[in-house]
Amino acid sequence: MNFTDAVLSRHTVKAYAGGQTLPQEQIDMLLSWLHNSPSSVNSQPWHFVVASTSEGRETVAKAATGTFAYNHPKIVDASHVIALCMRADLDEAHLRAILAQEESDGRFKADGAREGQDKSRRSYVDLHRYALRDVPQWMEKQVYLALGGLLLGAAMLGIDATPMEGFDAVALDAALNLRERGLTSVVLVSLGRRSEKDFNAGLPKSRLPKEAVFTHI
């Protein structure tokens, strides 16, 4: 499938065929793409929890009860569910870990490149921490960049997907012990094979006209 076909054919799946497991090579490819997602100043303020077993999906589904019960089947009937999480803060340990990894991966070829990269990244962190005071929102934006790539990657592989904000983040954080690790959940993505009950598959895409969306200057 080419990129245009993937963009135009993908849709948010509303029902999955339970008991169908995606090939591991496809999952490995998706996780590799997710691992290499872009982020502002390579801040990588995320962590991804992958539920690939029925027990794992049931744990995630603890956050889809009550008001969010409509999403429970989309979690337990999927092949895999990924919880895209963000850090509570871009602390010193994380900034040092990123810099050390960049150095290990050979990104600093020129004299002063390491120090320049560290200074530049910290300037952005300080901007959002002190001047804009929006570090959580800034980190969340990076997680949504990763989400977009994941959804398009799944479409390229012919994998059905459902992004979900409809879950109890407090309950999910507790079920996955995220806060003890300095993390909080942002969005869920179910992956699998849609069932015949997926009514959204037969509906046409609907977008505002290009004239309302694009301005050419």
Side-chain angles (χ1 to χ4, degrees), residues 39 43-46 85-91 94 128-129 134-145 182 184 186:
S39 60
S43 54
Q44 304 175 63
W46 48 48
C85 310
M86 72 179 195
R87 301 179 59 83
D89 190 22
L90 288 171
D91 57 21
H94 183 66
H128 288 279
R129 177 172 287 137
D134 68 345
V135 169
Q137 291 84 0
W138 185 48
M139 291 191 295
E140 189 175 52
K141 290 176 182 177
Q142 315 315 314
V143 175
Y144 275 89
L145 282 176
T184 185
V186 175

Side-chain angles (χ1 to χ4, degrees), residues 7-8 10-12 204-214:
V7 170
L8 296 179
R10 67 148 302 278
H11 69 282
T12 297
K205 276 189 179 295
S206 179
R207 299 293 189 268
L208 291 169
K210 293 179 180 178
E211 294 77 12
V213 176
F214 296 99

Side-chain angles (χ1 to χ4, degrees), residues 10-11 13 15-23 26-31 33-34 48-53 57 73-84 146-164 188-195:
R10 67 148 302 278
H11 69 282
V13 171
Y16 285 89
Q20 295 198 32
T21 303
L22 295 170
Q26 288 190 328
I27 295 298
D28 290 342
M29 190 175 298
L30 272 180
L31 295 183
W33 295 344
L34 191 56
F48 308 116
V49 179
V50 183
S52 59
T53 64
R57 292 189 296 274
K74 301 185 190 81
I75 295 171
V76 296
D77 291 337
S79 170
H80 289 66
V81 180
I82 303 178
L84 286 77
L147 170 66
L150 175 61
L151 294 177
L152 287 175
M156 288 288 291
L157 295 175
I159 294 173
D160 295 313
T162 308
M164 288 175 279
L188 296 172
V189 176
S190 287
L191 303 163
R193 302 298 181 198
R194 65 179 181 86
S195 77

